[in-house]
Each structure stands twice: as C-alpha cells, then as structure tokens.
Amino acid sequence: MTEQQADKGSIQVIERMMSLLEVLADMPEPASLKLLAQSTGLHPSTAHRILAAMTSAAIVERQDAGSYMLGIRLLELGNIVKSRINIRQVALPHMQQLHELVGEAVNLGIRHEDEIIYVERTSSGRSLVRVVYLVGGRAPLHLTSVGKLFLADDGLADVRAYARRTGLPGKTPHSLTRLDALEKELDRIRRHEFACDNEEAEIGLRCLAAPIRNDEGQLVAGLSVSAPADRHNPDWVTPIKATASEISLALGYRRPVRR
C-alpha cells in the first residue's frame, strides 16, 4: 500500500467516525448497531469496528443491550474547548465583516453588575462622537442599546431592583429615567430581539444592538453599531442581528425549535 492510499484510508475512517457521531448526536436514546449502520450507510461490520475503537477511547459508550450512545470523553473535551473560548477572539472577525458592510463603528459589550463594559471595537475613523464606546469604557445599562439587551433578559423584579439601586440617572434629554418608560422599551426589545439607543447616552450618537448567546442560551454579550445621528440607518438591524447570530453559533448556541 502506498502512502497516498494509506492517507486516503485514514481519512475515510475519520469521515465514517464523524458520520456515526452525528447520528448518535441526533438520537435522544441509545441506538442499536443495526440502526446506526442503516443511518450512515455503513456495513454493520464496519460500523461495529469503528464503534469499538471509539468505545475504547470513551468517545462512545456501549450499553448492555448492544446499543451505543455518546461517551463522557466528548463532554470532557467540550468543557476544555468551552473554557478556552474567548468571546473577543470569536467575535472580532465577524465584527470586522460587519464594519466593512456598514462603514461605522462596531462594538462588543459585556455586563458587569449594573454597567456595560466595551471590550472590543472596530473604529470607523469617521466620527468624533464616541466617548461612551471606547474599549474599556463603561456606561449604565439603561442608557445604552447593549445594556438594554441585558435588562430585557432580566425578569421584572430584577429590572425594578436595578431601577431602585441606580435611580435611573439620565445623561441627555432622551435618557429613559422613568421605570414605566424603561419597562415599555424592554418589552419592545424582547419582542423584536434588538435594542436602540436614541441619543440616550450621548447627544448626536445613535446605536443599534443585538444579543450574543452561548451554548447554554445565556446572554453573554451584545453587538452594536454606533454612528452619528445624521448617518444612522435603521436598516442596519438586519445585518447586526445576522452577525450576532453568527457569533452565537460560533459559541455553540442553537436556537430552540418552536413547536
């Protein structure tokens, strides 16, 4: 056997292994050898041989009844991958693509207690109005589009507790400083899955944001585009939401299927 033939055979084994894993991942219960062979198009003896190798590596677990399920080693490996994920690193290529599309600053913000912290930014280089959105900058949750995403993700009691703690201070005439106005805005965000900042943190600056979720469905960050009010375009909502979804997908998020 030539080296090229050996390489081809190794790749084929890996492809067959992956097809078995994909079928097992879709099975809510342990699957029989017969069912796995049928689902993957493999001969039962071939499927059995590959499953045996994966079982010895704890990638697959064999049940007493001769059926198979995903093994504990996959969970261990998944946790290692998860611990090494850096949201900034995952998000930045997507942010740069969005920046090229809209031509304005793209921001990545995370929550720290009652504030948003901006941890990454692609600068448009066009706007002098960008005090709030410098990397490392902080702002109260209710004054920014990203912050509102986190408040919208909270329950009613948590939002009211936030209002009591902070007093909902304003920075501009457009700031939401009344609880009833804030609750109405948060309800709109929950229904439409994006948030706006209409010169609420800084006069002359408007912003749109969409949520980023991890593999557990938790809101871990917000993606926003900020621009001077005269260049603001509400149509940016679509690419912002699409980009946030791509980042969420890269973090392992899968949108629940509505029944």
Side-chain angles (χ1 to χ4, degrees):
M1 180 184 295
T2 66
E3 183 177 345
Q4 185 177 12
Q5 289 173 324
D7 288 343
K8 184 177 180 180
S10 298
I11 292 171
Q12 189 177 55
V13 170
I14 293 171
E15 290 174 344
R16 290 171 172 175
M17 180 183 73
M18 291 305 300
S19 67
L20 286 164
L21 287 174
E22 288 172 0
V23 171
L24 285 169
D26 289 335
M27 297 288 181
E29 303 291 338
S32 67
L33 174 63
K34 180 180 179 180
L35 178 58
L36 289 170
Q38 289 175 342
S39 299
T40 57
L42 297 174
H43 191 279
S45 63
T46 301
H48 183 268
R49 184 170 65 253
I50 296 173
L51 287 165
M54 290 195 291
T55 299
S56 67
I59 294 174
V60 167
E61 182 179 322
R62 188 175 188 274
Q63 304 292 290
D64 292 338
S67 57
Y68 298 85
M69 61 185 296
L70 297 179
I72 194 68
R73 181 59 178 157
L74 289 175
L75 178 61
E76 295 170 351
L77 293 172
N79 284 331
I80 291 172
V81 172
K82 183 178 178 181
S83 70
R84 294 176 181 174
I85 287 177
N86 182 307
I87 294 178
R88 289 176 63 193
Q89 291 177 346
V90 172
L92 190 55
H94 300 277
M95 293 173 64
Q96 290 170 336
Q97 290 177 359
L98 179 60
H99 170 74
E100 291 173 4
L101 178 65
V102 302
E104 299 291 350
V106 179
N107 314 288
L108 181 70
I110 62 173
R111 180 176 185 169
H112 180 255
E113 298 178 348
D114 290 339
E115 293 181 311
I116 281 298
I117 302 176
Y118 292 93
V119 296
E120 190 56 83
R121 184 176 195 270
T122 64
S123 175
S124 69
R126 299 169 61 190
S127 174
L128 298 176
V129 188
R130 57 190 187 194
V131 176
V132 172
Y133 301 104
L134 292 174
V135 172
R138 295 169 177 260
L141 297 176
H142 67 290
L143 295 183
T144 69
S145 58
V146 174
K148 290 179 193 175
L149 292 173
F150 282 91
L151 287 174
D153 208 53
D154 285 343
L156 181 60
D158 289 334
V159 171
R160 292 179 175 176
Y162 167 83
R164 288 194 299 270
R165 282 195 307 273
T166 64
L168 300 180
K171 284 194 173 182
T172 79
H174 303 285
S175 300
L176 298 178
T177 57
R178 296 195 337 267
L179 179 58
D180 59 340
L182 178 61
E183 289 180 341
K184 183 177 180 180
E185 175 73 356
L186 297 181
D187 182 61
R188 186 199 64 77
I189 292 168
R190 294 184 190 104
R191 286 184 283 110
H192 297 286
E193 298 185 314
F194 73 90
C196 306
D197 165 7
N198 182 24
E199 301 183 68
E200 295 161 49
E202 191 169 344
I203 289 294
L205 185 68
R206 299 184 68 181
C207 189
L208 295 168
I212 295 173
R213 298 186 181 276
N214 65 10
D215 62 316
E216 297 177 356
Q218 298 171 333
L219 179 61
V220 292
L223 181 76
S224 69
V225 169
S226 54
D230 60 354
R231 293 206 303 261
H232 175 81
N233 186 344
D235 292 339
W236 289 337
V237 167
T238 299
I240 293 170
K241 291 177 70 173
T243 303
S245 294
E246 290 170 3
I247 297 171
S248 298
L249 189 64
L251 293 174
Y253 175 66
R254 298 295 182 272
R255 181 181 290 274
V257 177
R258 294 182 179 179
R259 298 184 182 279

